[in-house]
Amino acid sequence: MTIRNLDDLLAEGVSGRRVLVRADLNVPLDKQSGEITDDGRIRAVLPTLSALVQAGAKVVVCSHLGRPKGAPDPQFSLRPVAGRLGELLGAPVHFAEDTVGDSARACVAELADGQVALLENLRFNAGETSKDDAERGAFADQLAALGDAYVDDAFGAVHRKHASVHDVPARLPHVAGRLVLREVEVLSRLTGSPERPYVVVLGGSKVSDKLAVIEALLPTVDRLLIGGGMCFTFLKAQGHEVGTSLLEKDMVETCRNLMERAPGKIMLPVDVVAADAFAPDAAHDTVPADGIPSHRLGLDIGPETVAGFAAALSQAKTVFWNGPMGVFEMAAFANGTRGVAEAITKADAFSVVGGGDSAAAVRALGLDESSFGHISTGGGASLEYLEGKTLPGIAALEN
């Protein structure tokens, strides 16, 4: 990879310098209490921040949270993140009430060597996500003025052409952080010459969301295991009725074509857990995949499918998993995701969890994160990398 990294910057010396770090602190918050429910993304950036703190840098962290509409919105404030980040770093984190305004400038100016400041949500500024180059560039100018060097450690955002990801690196000496470097190294193993058999597990709700990565992976993988809501469009393409299950009618023919192009490579559920309603306490039972009652919807893969998927995974030497197998947030429909995840951990394979809901499921189900080879922090970014797309944030670091 022809990208300068954090070690290059540290070798030059950062003591007393303001280092602007783009992190991905887009953590889930409880709607009632506002408390962080999963701090995985905060923990992921700690190696980079700790190295800069120990080297005496004045660390200025910026991130987005949620999807505010280009203006301040209290429900998307990063203030709770500042508190948790301080706990994990073992030192208070100064919090700026804005991103590039008076509070941000004052907060950064007051930093001592080895201290950390967190700016308010980048997306409170319309310039961050603007498609207008001039508007985005003007915001990038203001942001870059708060640093002497730039570190991108927000892999979950590198597929976005946003000011803090794409435009700021052109204005400051720039390097990849520990997390971004690790993510690219891992995903390069999958796109290069992965050890075989190479098995990919895809779940989630929609085929349309995963079509590009399926198209890209199908020629290179040995087996493609499909669960989650997206499996019902494939089952429909096989001629099965799917009841009231999630179905993309306009994708049925596409699914049929994919299966015809790679006969025997795509593995679908043979049984599903079908329920009367989308509810945690809905009446449900396991039925054959070709026998879903007309009034029921599938909310998880069944035990026979888990066993079949596990058998395929047991032969693998490389595994990539993106997307849950069912509605894992409801205990009654979490067994498929748990079973497949556990099968991945038991396989004698290099395993990569492709971020997003898959990473959330690993933590929510209490699985041992260290039993996976790598858990990505970027669901969309990891998929686009595997598709072979140019990621704006990575391209900016290469320049």
Side-chain angles (χ1 to χ4, degrees):
M1 195 169 79
T2 58
I3 297 176
R4 297 178 72 242
N5 62 59
L6 184 65
D7 289 335
D8 297 319
L9 181 64
L10 294 173
E12 295 168 1
V14 294
S15 181
R17 297 174 68 190
R18 301 171 305 161
V19 179
L20 182 66
V21 179
R22 176 50 161 109
D24 179 10
L25 306 177
N26 185 27
V27 295
L29 301 174
D30 183 89
K31 290 182 179 179
Q32 273 71 45
S33 67
E35 294 180 358
I36 296 166
T37 58
D38 181 354
D39 65 1
R41 284 178 171 160
I42 304 176
R43 292 177 180 277
V45 76
L46 291 179
T48 288
L49 298 184
S50 297
L52 288 167
V53 166
Q54 291 167 13
K58 299 176 179 180
V59 185
V60 183
V61 184
C62 61
S63 176
H64 71 285
L65 176 67
R67 296 180 180 272
K69 306 297 183 183
D73 185 337
Q75 68 175 317
F76 296 116
S77 174
L78 279 167
R79 182 176 285 280
V81 175
R84 182 58 180 147
L85 181 59
E87 290 173 1
L88 293 170
L89 286 172
V93 168
H94 303 264
F95 183 66
E97 300 289 344
D98 54 31
T99 310
V100 292
D102 292 341
S103 178
R105 288 191 292 270
C107 193
V108 172
E110 292 168 3
L111 284 179
D113 295 359
Q115 289 188 333
V116 179
L118 175 62
L119 307 179
E120 185 54 284
N121 196 332
L122 289 163
R123 292 185 183 175
F124 285 0
N125 305 77
E128 167 66 2
T129 59
S130 176
K131 290 182 169 55
D132 180 83
D133 290 348
E135 183 180 15
R136 211 176 54 248
F139 179 59
D141 286 340
Q142 294 177 288
L143 201 53
L146 299 175
D148 303 308
Y150 170 85
V151 178
D152 189 346
D153 217 26
F155 183 74
V158 294
H159 60 315
R160 307 293 189 192
K161 191 177 180 180
H162 292 170
S164 64
V165 174
H166 177 263
D167 301 277
V168 171
R171 291 157 168 79
L172 291 173
H174 50 270
V175 301
R178 298 254 195 269
L179 175 62
V180 165
L181 189 67
R182 170 67 176 158
E183 294 271 14
V184 174
E185 287 174 345
V186 165
L187 293 172
S188 295
R189 287 180 62 173
L190 302 185
T191 55
S193 299
E195 190 176 355
R196 296 187 178 280
Y198 177 21
V199 178
V200 170
V201 184
L202 291 181
S205 58
K206 295 182 178 180
V207 177
S208 53
D209 291 342
K210 304 285 171 71
L211 179 60
V213 76
I214 293 173
E215 295 268 10
L217 289 173
L218 207 50
T220 62
V221 303
D222 296 295
R223 297 302 296 272
L224 178 58
L225 318 182
I226 293 180
M230 63 188 289
C231 78
F232 299 106
T233 304
F234 277 92
L235 291 172
K236 186 71 172 179
Q238 285 187 323
H240 304 317
E241 292 305 319
V242 296
T244 59
S245 304
L246 188 63
L247 176 66
E248 289 183 283
K249 293 181 180 179
D250 59 339
M251 297 298 296
V252 171
E253 187 60 32
T254 299
C255 291
R256 187 176 293 119
N257 291 336
L258 288 169
M259 289 187 287
E260 289 174 354
R261 277 169 43 192
K265 188 175 280 191
I266 295 176
M267 192 169 177
L268 297 175
V270 293
D271 61 345
V272 301
V273 180
D276 286 345
F278 187 89
D281 57 351
H284 61 276
D285 53 28
T286 301
V287 300
D290 60 357
I292 301 173
S294 60
H295 67 287
R296 286 192 153 186
L297 72 163
L299 295 181
D300 196 11
I301 59 173
E304 284 189 40
T305 301
V306 171
F309 283 10
L313 289 163
S314 70
Q315 305 299 314
K317 290 299 181 184
T318 305
V319 175
F320 176 75
W321 168 37
N322 179 275
M325 298 292 98
V327 188
F328 73 90
E329 298 89 346
M330 302 179 188
F333 312 112
N335 291 334
T337 301
R338 181 188 300 278
V340 168
E342 289 176 345
I344 292 172
T345 66
K346 293 173 184 175
D348 182 21
F350 175 65
S351 59
V352 178
V353 180
D357 288 340
S358 312
V362 168
R363 289 188 280 270
L365 296 175
L367 301 171
D368 181 5
E369 294 183 48
S370 66
S371 59
F372 298 90
H374 177 71
I375 299 180
S376 178
T377 55
S382 62
L383 289 178
E384 291 195 17
Y385 191 97
L386 293 184
E387 289 168 28
K389 287 186 177 180
T390 297
L391 307 184
I394 301 299
L397 294 175
E398 290 176 329
N399 294 331

